[in-house]
Amino acid sequence: ADDDNILLHGLQSDIEASRDILSKLDEEYTENEEMLSETLTMIQRADGGDGHQDAAMMASKVKHLEQDVSTLDNAIEHLQQKRHEMLSSMDDKLSFYKKRAQNVSKKKEMAQQKLNAWKLDLRASRDEIMQLQQEMDNFCLRGMEQNHGRRPMTELQLKQYMNTLRVKTD
């Protein structure tokens, strides 16, 4: 019930607003009609007041103006065609550069992908080198300065190391 009242009230206000607009348009139309009538009266007085001659003269002027409009329409159409031709020729010229730009963009993207792949390979290689370095350190003893602080294990030390690894895995 409340929704119906709200809807009814909204419709009534819309109808009232439309009536107001209609009355204002009616007033404006009446004013314009009066102004046109006054203007025609002034023109008739200035030309001597003969309505038939004025009508013929107005018809001639109207016909002349219609011809001018037709001529201008043709000129506009001609200029639009010329503009379209110029734009299509420019598009043809620009399409070459657009294709080149697209190719350069593709090459750049491919180069970026290769670079990223190489970076990943480099990281993996560094990790592998570090792991191998650590394994090598496990097989060497520290303390010898001439071998950069490393000295290979003796046969006995290597056997002991391998036994400790076996014990850990069992």
Side-chain angles (χ1 to χ4, degrees):
D2 288 335
D3 289 341
D4 291 339
N5 287 335
I6 292 171
L7 183 63
L8 183 61
H9 180 68
L11 288 173
Q12 287 174 344
S13 65
D14 287 347
I15 290 171
E16 188 63 34
S18 297
R19 284 183 185 158
D20 289 342
I21 291 172
L22 184 60
S23 71
K24 288 179 183 177
L25 285 173
D26 192 34
E27 288 174 19
E28 187 175 337
Y29 175 77
T30 305
E31 287 176 20
N32 287 336
E33 188 177 29
E34 289 172 3
M35 286 176 40
L36 180 62
S37 177
E38 288 175 16
T39 304
L40 287 175
T41 303
M42 290 172 56
I43 290 173
Q44 286 176 353
R45 286 182 193 156
D47 288 340
D50 189 6
H52 294 294
Q53 285 181 342
D54 289 341
M57 199 159 91
M58 291 294 263
S60 170
K61 287 181 181 179
V62 167
K63 189 172 184 176
H64 180 68
L65 290 173
E66 286 175 346
Q67 289 174 349
D68 288 347
V69 167
S70 176
T71 304
L72 290 173
D73 283 342
N74 290 336
I76 288 171
E77 186 177 326
H78 175 72
L79 290 173
Q80 285 176 339
Q81 286 177 343
K82 195 172 185 178
R83 177 180 163 262
H84 178 70
E85 290 171 4
M86 289 175 68
L87 288 176
S88 20
S89 71
M90 286 176 56
D91 283 345
D92 290 342
K93 291 175 185 175
L94 291 176
S95 67
F96 171 75
Y97 294 106
K98 286 180 184 177
K99 287 179 185 177
R100 284 188 69 181
Q102 289 173 348
N103 288 338
V104 167
S105 177
K106 286 180 184 178
K107 286 181 183 179
K108 178 187 168 207
E109 174 114 7
M110 289 172 50
Q112 186 66 39
Q113 289 174 354
K114 283 182 183 180
L115 179 63
N116 290 338
W118 289 341
K119 285 180 180 180
L120 290 174
D121 286 346
L122 181 62
R123 285 185 193 128
S125 296
R126 284 182 183 163
D127 290 344
E128 187 178 346
I129 288 171
M130 289 174 60
Q131 184 180 5
L132 291 173
Q133 187 76 29
Q134 191 174 19
E135 286 178 18
M136 193 171 104
D137 285 346
N138 288 337
F139 289 112
C140 295
L141 294 176
R142 308 221 185 275
M144 300 266 320
E145 293 300 322
Q146 67 234 17
N147 288 337
H148 303 289
R150 297 187 189 135
R151 172 170 59 91
M153 289 185 185
T154 62
E155 188 177 336
L156 180 63
Q157 290 170 332
L158 187 57
K159 285 181 183 179
Q160 288 174 349
Y161 176 70
M162 291 182 75
N163 282 333
T164 57
L165 288 177
R166 279 190 200 125
V167 170
K168 286 183 182 177
T169 57
D170 289 338

